[in-house]
Amino acid sequence: MALTTDPTLQNQVIYSVYVRAHTPEGTFNAVVPDLDRIRALGTDIIWFMPIHPIGVKGKKGSLGCPYANRDYRAVNPEYGTMDDFKRLCDEIHARGMKVMIDVVYNHTSPDSVLWETHPEFFYKRPDGSPGNKVGDWTDVIDLDYNVPALWDYQIESLKEWAKLVDGFRCDVASFVPVEFWKRARAAVETVRPGCVWLAESVHREFGALMRAQGVYSARDAELFEAFDMEYEYDVRTVFEKVLRDEAALSQWTDLLEFQEAAYGANYNKLRFLENHDVPRIASFVHDEGDLANYTAMLFFLKGATLLYAGQEWEDERLPSLFEREPIDRATGRDLTPLLQTLARVKHDSLAPDDAFFARAMDKTGVAVMTRVNKDAKKIGIFSLKSRAVSVELDVPDGSYVNLIDGTRVTVLQGSLRCDGKPIIFSVSV
């Protein structure tokens, strides 16, 4: 782990906002009235997907993708002005939350300010034209981190933003040299001590494919030298197979235990059921009871919890990155009370120094997870198909409070009867 990583980040909740889709207006100012509701969910950090101007040349869709950055040092005029964004940051800070912005440092739009002023900063094809190394990313051109002056430019940009914000989510961080991120972290620390760094590490299959093609792609363990948190894409493929009934639940729980053994102390994998790049969980899981179990399990996992705006209303549609498609707040469904409870459990009952264990009852689709430290053992039982089942547990017989709904659960002769609803309880050790 990075030497200055704060272990308590493991117990925090991050709420992801796509400004274009968050409200019908799609502006910074329109987010402000929603901040109290976001805070009430238990949110600690608001992460804004890219807020910078979007390229026009080669753009996808009618509005272009926010990950085709045109200017690292400005804001998208469709969202408002820099003063509007500063006010938004002030309002977030006033409510006790932190602000994280998305930085896209692997590439820019083909008509970016940086291409126009510093074409020497870019990767070139054999014919000398700018290009990219991932074929379907047709609306961007790659930067070349073999150029030392590029490092200086990018770090100066981060230092300026760090005067306003508290952290950075770094897009496809695996494709940018770890040594750059380490230098950037040290420089930003002089401006924003305790700045939070989240890496979008890539799917392990994708990273291996890129390395096989001669493209730099840092491994997750390497990224942890510079970052506080990183994506759980190393296990995501198997999780999605479980959602599609193409893999046994135990294959995924085994990988969770492998993470616990493979990464350094205080490793922090960002845990999510959905984000802007993967399908909404409600498009996979339609039963309310099942979804409650998946959601409770999400908060129990070791690592910071990510909520993607709209998840609380069980929105099944993923907003387009290239058009204006506001999230659906009128689904008639609302997970807010459950999310608030789970956030309290995460903040108050789980600990960064917990050891984590997981097993699966494949026939019934039940995940049994344990977090334990010197003070307490926390048990999570999640019936992902809402089935009633008896679960064997290594805890003393007795009656315990389910921290999710306040009911009592009983362990008798080492067995607990789960009625299909999620259970989290604590045992002193």
Side-chain angles (χ1 to χ4, degrees), residues 15 21-24 37 274 280 282 308-319 325-335:
Y15 187 89
H22 197 72
T23 63
R37 184 195 65 81
E274 60 185 55
R280 294 277 199 185
Y308 184 37
Q311 187 172 341
E312 60 267 53
W313 296 294
E314 301 176 39
D315 194 352
E316 296 184 17
R317 177 184 50 80
L318 196 67
E325 295 179 354
I327 54 179
D328 185 1
R329 299 169 184 248
T331 62
R333 302 179 296 274
D334 191 354
L335 288 171

Side-chain angles (χ1 to χ4, degrees), residues 108-226:
T108 74
S109 69
D111 54 352
S112 65
V113 168
L114 210 54
W115 168 251
E116 294 169 355
T117 57
H118 291 283
E120 71 276 14
F121 287 177
F122 287 80
Y123 161 79
K124 307 294 196 312
R125 298 188 182 99
D127 65 2
S129 63
N132 68 71
K133 305 179 191 74
V134 180
D136 62 346
W137 296 357
T138 56
D139 57 342
V140 297
I141 53 177
D142 285 358
L143 291 161
D144 182 359
Y145 280 85
N146 291 309
V147 181
L150 172 62
W151 292 38
D152 297 334
Y153 182 95
Q154 299 290 62
I155 289 171
E156 284 305 310
S157 299
L158 289 169
K159 289 170 67 176
E160 285 301 308
W161 284 110
K163 296 175 182 177
L164 292 177
V165 304
D166 310 282
F168 300 103
R169 180 268 187 188
C170 302
D171 189 64
V172 286
S174 307
F175 291 176
V176 176
V178 171
E179 289 304 315
F180 167 82
W181 293 124
K182 290 166 70 173
R183 186 183 302 179
R185 182 185 182 112
V188 167
E189 191 71 12
T190 65
V191 177
R192 176 73 64 173
C195 183
V196 180
W197 294 82
L198 166 61
E200 186 202 20
S201 47
V202 300
H203 288 76
R204 69 175 189 268
E205 305 92 339
F206 186 33
L209 177 63
M210 290 295 100
R211 288 190 291 271
Q213 296 176 0
V215 177
Y216 176 89
S217 180
R219 292 168 173 83
D220 287 13
E222 296 166 338
L223 281 175
F224 268 137
E225 296 175 20

Side-chain angles (χ1 to χ4, degrees), residues 23-280:
T23 63
E25 300 86 353
T27 63
F28 294 134
N29 288 336
V31 176
V32 174
D34 201 29
L35 292 178
D36 288 333
R37 184 195 65 81
I38 293 172
R39 177 57 173 161
L41 289 172
T43 301
D44 301 289
I45 302 171
I46 296 181
W47 152 34
F48 289 102
M49 288 167 56
I51 59 170
H52 306 294
I54 296 170
V56 175
K57 185 177 180 181
K59 71 178 182 180
K60 295 182 177 180
S62 63
L63 298 177
C65 178
Y67 290 91
N69 187 321
R70 194 172 189 178
D71 187 352
Y72 288 117
R73 299 181 177 182
V75 297
N76 186 344
E78 295 177 14
Y79 294 173
T81 65
M82 183 66 79
D83 284 340
D84 292 335
F85 182 68
K86 290 178 180 178
R87 173 178 172 248
L88 176 55
C89 291
D90 289 342
E91 295 284 354
I92 292 169
H93 289 145
R95 289 162 173 81
M97 295 180 286
K98 292 183 177 181
V99 183
M100 176 183 290
I101 61 169
D102 220 315
V103 290
V104 187
Y105 268 21
N106 178 67
H107 49 258
T108 74
S109 69
D111 54 352
S112 65
V113 168
L114 210 54
W115 168 251
E116 294 169 355
T117 57
H118 291 283
E120 71 276 14
F121 287 177
F122 287 80
Y123 161 79
K124 307 294 196 312
R125 298 188 182 99
D127 65 2
S129 63
N132 68 71
K133 305 179 191 74
V134 180
D136 62 346
W137 296 357
T138 56
D139 57 342
V140 297
I141 53 177
D142 285 358
L143 291 161
D144 182 359
Y145 280 85
N146 291 309
V147 181
L150 172 62
W151 292 38
D152 297 334
Y153 182 95
Q154 299 290 62
I155 289 171
E156 284 305 310
S157 299
L158 289 169
K159 289 170 67 176
E160 285 301 308
W161 284 110
K163 296 175 182 177
L164 292 177
V165 304
D166 310 282
F168 300 103
R169 180 268 187 188
C170 302
D171 189 64
V172 286
S174 307
F175 291 176
V176 176
V178 171
E179 289 304 315
F180 167 82
W181 293 124
K182 290 166 70 173
R183 186 183 302 179
R185 182 185 182 112
V188 167
E189 191 71 12
T190 65
V191 177
R192 176 73 64 173
C195 183
V196 180
W197 294 82
L198 166 61
E200 186 202 20
S201 47
V202 300
H203 288 76
R204 69 175 189 268
E205 305 92 339
F206 186 33
L209 177 63
M210 290 295 100
R211 288 190 291 271
Q213 296 176 0
V215 177
Y216 176 89
S217 180
R219 292 168 173 83
D220 287 13
E222 296 166 338
L223 281 175
F224 268 137
E225 296 175 20
F227 286 89
D228 303 305
M229 299 179 278
E230 61 180 42
Y231 272 43
E232 60 167 9
Y233 278 155
D234 54 335
V235 300
R236 177 71 190 190
T237 300
V238 174
F239 179 70
E240 291 187 356
K241 287 181 179 179
V242 171
L243 290 173
R244 297 191 298 265
D245 290 322
E246 296 172 0
L249 180 61
S250 58
Q251 292 178 250
W252 180 64
T253 56
D254 285 350
L255 286 174
L256 294 178
E257 288 203 337
F258 180 79
Q259 287 180 328
E260 178 78 0
Y263 297 120
N266 294 328
Y267 78 98
N268 191 341
K269 280 288 185 174
L270 183 70
R271 305 300 183 178
F272 52 85
L273 296 177
E274 60 185 55
N275 64 48
H276 67 271
D277 280 325
V278 301
R280 294 277 199 185

Side-chain angles (χ1 to χ4, degrees), residues 394-405:
D394 182 21
V395 299
D397 284 359
S399 177
Y400 301 96
V401 176
N402 183 355
L403 298 176
I404 298 175
D405 60 12

Side-chain angles (χ1 to χ4, degrees), residues 371-382:
R371 298 182 58 151
V372 60
N373 63 12
K374 61 182 177 59
D375 299 314
K377 177 185 287 189
K378 284 77 65 166
I379 309 294
I381 301 171
F382 311 105

